[in-house]
């Protein structure tokens, strides 16, 4: 395997792990309330993760995974899941992204 193939396989592994942890948190913390979104690796920079409600897409920065402890990455995953929960389950539409519904979701997800 050349370097590019190793990098590609490493990223696939990261995404598989993110899906596994997403399923775990959804079942154990949210009683399966969420529908599985698309989870993908995002770009570099200061943004560690994001939730795109329109496209039902969650992104976690590849640089975050490469550079930070896995427990921090899982904190970011739960943070983005809280956005998903606030949007899809609590149906928060007229409040700030980190408003009351998000806070309630964070309590459930322990983030």
């Amino acid at each position: 395997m050349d370097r590019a193939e190793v990098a590609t396989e490493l990223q696939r592994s990261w995404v598989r792990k993110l899906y596994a942890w997403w399923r775990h948190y959804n079942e154990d913390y949210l009683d399966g309330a969420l529908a599985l979104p698309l989870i993908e690796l995002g770009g570099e920079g200061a943004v560690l993760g994001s939730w795109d409600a329109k496209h039902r897409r969650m992104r976690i920065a590849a640089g975050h995974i490469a550079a930070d402890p896995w427990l921090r990455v899982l904190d970011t995953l739960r943070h983005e899941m809280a956005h998903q929960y606030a949007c899809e389950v609590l149906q928060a539409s007229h409040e700030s992204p980190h408003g009351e519904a998000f806070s309630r979701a964070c309590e459930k997800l322990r983030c």
Side-chain angles (χ1 to χ4, degrees):
M1 239 190 247
D2 68 13
R3 185 175 211 151
E5 290 172 323
V6 170
T8 298
E9 187 53 39
L10 180 59
Q11 289 188 351
R12 285 183 185 141
S13 177
W14 289 342
V15 171
R16 282 192 303 270
K17 285 293 187 187
L18 289 169
Y19 273 114
W21 280 102
W22 184 97
R23 286 182 181 98
H24 166 74
Y25 294 135
N26 186 44
E27 289 303 317
D28 286 6
Y29 295 176
L30 304 175
D31 298 320
L34 296 176
L36 188 66
L38 172 64
I39 300 175
E40 60 185 24
L41 300 181
E44 305 303 317
V47 177
L48 302 180
S50 64
W51 166 247
D52 176 354
K54 181 179 178 182
H55 297 102
R56 301 197 69 260
R57 178 177 51 217
M58 190 172 294
R59 285 190 176 144
I60 306 295
H64 179 34
I65 297 171
D68 296 323
W70 186 247
L71 290 177
R72 253 196 91 209
V73 173
L74 294 179
D75 287 341
T76 302
L77 177 66
R78 287 194 315 276
H79 178 101
E80 300 313 327
M81 288 179 73
H83 284 295
Q84 181 186 5
Y85 188 86
C87 176
E88 295 184 348
V89 176
L90 301 178
Q91 299 184 352
S93 58
H94 299 293
E95 63 180 68
S96 72
H98 294 111
E100 185 178 328
F102 176 78
S103 293
R104 288 177 39 212
C106 283
E107 286 178 25
K108 293 182 85 54
L109 283 156
R110 300 173 182 113
C111 61

